[in-house]
Amino acid sequence: MPIYNAPTKDLQFVLHDLLKVSEQNIEGYEDLDREFTGAVLEEAGKVATEVLHPLNVVGDKEGCVLENGVVRTPNGFKAAFEQMKEGGWTAMDCDPEYGGQGLPYVMNSAAQEPFVSANMAFNMYQGLTHGAYSAIHAHGTDEQKQKYLPKMVTCEWTGTMNLTEPHCGTDLGLMRTKAAPQADGSYKISGQKIFISAGDHDMADNIIHLVLAKIEGGPEGIKGVSLFIVPKFMVNEDGSLGDRNGVSVGSIEEKMGIHGNSTCVMNYDEATGYLLGTEHKGMRAMFTMMNEARIGVGLQGYAQAESAYQNAVAYANDRLQGRAVTGAENPDGPADPLIVHPDIRRNLMDQKSFVEGARAFTLWGANLIDRAHRNGDKEADGLISLMTPVIKGFQTDKGFEYAVAAQQVYGGHGYIEEWGMSQYARDARIAMIYEGANGVQALDLVGRKLAQDGGKHVMAFFEMIKNFIKENEGNEALKADFLEPLKAASKDLQAAGMYFMQNGMKNPNHALAGSYDFMHMMGHVCFGLMWAKMAKAAMEALEGGASDTAFYETKIATGKYYMARQLPATGMHLARINTGADTVMALDAANF
């Protein structure tokens, strides 16, 4: 059975040593002192380890079953969901007006990580609900908010997002689901949606589907798409549940991973729906969900790698194989543990430096969301808009890569199901695909986000790096190991942007052929900035007489590894980008 222990100490380091949340002038942050956040995270870790993690393998083996039109979740899921609801974990950052706790988004993100690491498939039920809640909260009428949100905050009712159809995923302008206006102001929704996570299950009294559809007679393509609230059961005036709506499960998708989550084919047969937001502006409302979901998926990427890494470390310390080339380190045993070997160390350091960098980057992004939403900070809003495809795309690519790397530490045992390592790789794989496949994230970054507001936000990012380096140039402890590598990587990123500007206007393919490399390059630079900041924070803690010297010294050593062994990848990505599109586009379609 795999192990999992919540990295509470590291989460606390990011919140307090790096972000210094309790010192920030943001509404609600004044309550985020070490004692409070520590208590919340300790309890979240306890729930994750004791309640959710034991069900991870159960969900993987049992999956979900469709019986008589109802989806049955794996054994233990329903009771665990009740514990999550009773503990208030589904309501942490929700609006108090509808029963939420009103905590900052950064605190919710920190608490969610252990849940995702412990049982990603399970946590998706509440994660999708939170996204649907946010869309209704942002775009719904007062009546819609009062009707749906209190029950969604508590997860008595859960939520979904319905975008994809059998013939269209990314190109939603091709969708065929129709919405016919009715005399009472409602609509009749007809069509089929696929890949609907948490589409149906037995853990909530009602499911509130948010469905993209085209109103008859509306504009063609994406400009004619609207968003609708379609409840599984109709909701009466007094809030009680009425008749079953015209929505049903066609089947449960058979997937590579996340078996514990019910990914459904949903059929809408003149189901009653209610317009959410404005006619033909459905994508604007849906993107409230999708942008939040993309940050959450970026978290999933590194949270799965964290679980896999913990198990790989344990195995590397226990498994005896060969002798250290410099002499036996376990002379009383038949062999030395795997962890003595440099290539195993390299593998584990790759994983560790990624996970800790990703944790910092994700919570830094969550802090930007709080600044944008709670303080009305437009610069923060623009910066997180720029970073969202990087958080999602880079972290899920690398999260899968390092889940596989953790599996590799086990050798042949990693390929055997009883050790549990394949589940991390299989579960992590979906994160690269859903909420916008990573190639689309790269196109969004290069095709839209770099030029957003005249390139203001990417220039602000470069200025942020430049200012950090300048402010700390007198810090000799940081200079060689952190500041100089960060400066070099930032120059690579700027050079790539310059290439796009000089060549992309003449031939857009020159920019788009390099978009995936640019997303990864930007991810590395963001991690480089995070690691430089974390190293500074760790050094300051040591200078201040911190008692846990080993923790802070380990943090600095891990950061040095990333800067020396991972950050130089920006040079490789720049070299690829500079070759343009000619070799990429050279073949005719018939010659592939």
Side-chain angles (χ1 to χ4, degrees):
M1 173 70 76
I3 60 165
Y4 174 69
N5 293 292
T8 305
K9 184 181 287 187
D10 205 54
L11 286 163
Q12 285 282 78
F13 169 80
V14 174
L15 289 175
H16 297 286
D17 295 82
L18 175 66
L19 299 177
K20 301 185 187 303
V21 288
S22 60
E23 299 174 24
Q24 293 194 33
N25 186 26
I26 300 175
E27 180 192 347
Y29 273 47
E30 66 276 5
D31 297 325
L32 302 183
D33 58 45
R34 281 184 186 269
E35 185 178 354
F36 174 76
T37 61
V40 172
L41 293 174
E42 285 290 345
E43 191 60 31
K46 189 176 177 182
V47 171
T49 302
E50 297 178 6
V51 179
L52 303 187
H53 183 251
L55 295 174
N56 199 37
V57 68
V58 175
D60 187 53
K61 290 185 183 303
E62 292 186 9
C64 296
V65 180
L66 179 62
E67 294 178 347
N68 301 318
V70 178
V71 173
R72 306 294 179 194
T73 51
N75 279 315
F77 270 45
K78 197 168 185 178
F81 204 59
E82 289 302 314
Q83 284 187 251
M84 293 292 286
K85 290 190 281 188
E86 289 167 10
W89 298 109
T90 65
M92 284 186 67
D93 67 330
C94 296
D95 191 339
E97 185 175 344
Y98 306 105
Q101 297 171 35
L103 288 169
Y105 183 73
V106 72
M107 192 64 224
N108 183 65
S109 298
Q112 286 295 311
E113 183 197 315
F115 300 152
V116 177
S117 287
N119 196 325
M120 176 172 155
F122 176 91
N123 201 62
M124 288 170 65
Y125 291 98
Q126 66 159 330
L128 271 295
T129 304
H130 193 284
Y133 154 87
S134 295
I136 296 173
H137 190 271
H139 302 283
T141 64
D142 287 341
E143 181 185 358
Q144 287 172 337
K145 292 179 195 177
Q146 292 294 341
K147 178 179 280 191
Y148 299 109
L149 295 188
K151 298 283 190 182
M152 294 177 77
V153 165
T154 60
C155 274
E156 292 171 75
W157 300 350
T158 58
T160 69
M161 53 195 297
N162 287 236
L163 292 82
T164 308
E165 299 182 8
H167 58 281
C168 73
T170 301
D171 191 354
L172 291 169
L174 298 175
M175 73 173 54
R176 296 174 187 154
T177 300
K178 297 295 184 186
Q182 304 298 299
D184 64 356
S186 66
Y187 293 78
K188 292 297 183 185
I189 311 296
S190 297
Q192 186 179 76
K193 298 289 185 177
I194 62 171
F195 308 155
I196 308 307
S197 300
D200 194 81
H201 56 88
D202 56 0
M203 300 191 299
D205 297 330
N206 202 4
I207 300 175
I208 310 303
H209 301 287
L210 297 192
V211 184
L212 285 177
K214 290 184 174 180
I215 298 173
E216 295 173 349
E220 289 297 314
I222 200 68
K223 293 182 179 178
V225 172
S226 301
L227 185 61
F228 299 89
I229 298 172
V230 186
K232 177 180 176 180
F233 290 99
M234 302 303 295
V235 182
N236 297 322
E237 289 296 320
D238 64 358
S240 62
L241 297 183
D243 295 336
R244 176 74 184 256
N245 204 354
V247 53
S248 60
V249 180
S251 63
I252 298 176
E253 306 281 12
E254 292 190 24
K255 311 184 297 294
M256 176 179 175
I258 56 168
H259 296 150
N261 194 269
S262 53
T263 308
C264 299
V265 174
M266 302 300 299
N267 295 320
Y268 293 87
D269 184 13
E270 294 197 339
T272 299
Y274 305 94
L275 184 68
L276 179 59
T278 309
E279 279 190 4
H280 317 311
K281 302 292 184 184
M283 289 309 297
R284 184 176 68 179
M286 184 60 87
F287 266 106
T288 299
M289 267 184 98
M290 289 187 70
N291 284 332
E292 177 184 306
R294 285 170 177 171
I295 301 292
V297 172
L299 189 153
Q300 287 180 338
Y302 84 79
Q304 287 302 289
E306 165 70 36
S307 278
Y309 164 73
Q310 288 189 20
N311 285 275
V313 169
Y315 188 83
N317 277 291
D318 289 342
R319 175 75 165 175
L320 302 181
Q321 290 286 279
R323 289 293 188 189
V325 293
T326 52
E329 295 195 20
N330 179 35
D332 295 331
D336 289 333
L338 281 172
I339 203 163
V340 306
H341 303 300
D343 191 60
I344 294 292
R345 292 291 190 98
R346 172 204 57 79
N347 188 339
L348 294 174
M349 286 297 286
D350 281 348
Q351 295 173 53
K352 180 177 174 62
S353 62
F354 162 73
V355 167
E356 293 179 20
R359 179 175 296 120
F361 185 34
T362 302
L363 294 183
W364 178 74
N367 176 224
L368 288 176
I369 290 174
D370 282 332
R371 281 170 49 191
H373 292 176
R374 290 174 175 247
N375 284 16
D377 187 331
K378 287 185 167 48
E379 283 71 27
D381 192 46
L383 193 54
I384 191 57
S385 178
L386 172 71
M387 294 299 170
T388 295
V390 184
I391 292 172
K392 195 281 184 184
F394 179 68
Q395 289 187 179
T396 58
D397 274 356
K398 290 294 182 181
F400 172 71
E401 178 183 331
Y402 291 127
V404 172
Q407 188 182 27
Q408 186 75 13
V409 172
Y410 281 67
H413 290 299
Y415 200 62
I416 303 300
E417 287 294 334
E418 71 178 272
W419 288 86
M421 294 306 290
S422 83
Q423 184 182 353
Y424 295 120
R426 289 185 286 103
D427 286 358
R429 185 64 183 87
I430 185 57
M432 301 163 70
I433 298 171
Y434 62 12
E435 304 305 340
N438 286 355
V440 176
Q441 301 300 324
L443 295 179
D444 177 47
L445 175 64
V446 171
R448 293 179 60 237
K449 297 299 175 59
L450 290 184
Q452 191 173 9
D453 296 329
K456 173 183 175 182
H457 306 300
V458 72
M459 294 309 295
F461 175 61
F462 287 134
E463 195 66 20
M464 183 187 303
I465 294 173
K466 182 180 174 183
N467 289 340
F468 178 80
I469 293 171
K470 189 174 182 180
E471 288 165 8
N472 294 282
E473 60 189 359
N475 187 334
E476 291 301 321
L478 275 179
K479 192 171 183 180
D481 293 322
F482 292 94
L483 300 186
E484 289 177 3
L486 177 59
K487 183 188 288 188
S490 179
K491 284 183 177 179
D492 285 345
L493 188 63
Q494 291 177 66
M498 188 62 67
Y499 176 87
F500 292 156
M501 288 177 62
Q502 292 172 344
N503 297 276
M505 295 296 287
K506 291 178 284 186
N507 180 358
N509 282 340
H510 284 314
L512 299 185
S515 61
Y516 214 92
D517 280 287
F518 189 87
M519 179 178 73
H520 274 248
M521 183 190 288
M522 191 162 179
H524 279 299
V525 173
C526 290
F527 275 37
L529 178 61
M530 292 300 110
W531 270 116
K533 285 176 172 283
M534 285 193 285
K536 181 184 177 183
M539 290 173 187
E540 288 174 348
L542 289 170
E543 289 165 7
S547 58
D548 193 352
T549 56
F551 174 84
Y552 292 106
E553 288 169 354
T554 299
K555 184 65 68 176
I556 294 166
T558 307
K560 286 180 180 179
Y561 179 90
Y562 191 89
M563 305 305 274
R565 299 280 302 216
Q566 295 289 349
L567 195 55
T570 58
M572 174 193 68
H573 290 300
L574 177 60
R576 289 175 175 173
I577 288 168
N578 283 335
T579 65
D582 293 344
T583 56
V584 174
M585 306 301 289
L587 296 184
D588 291 333
N591 294 332
F592 277 90

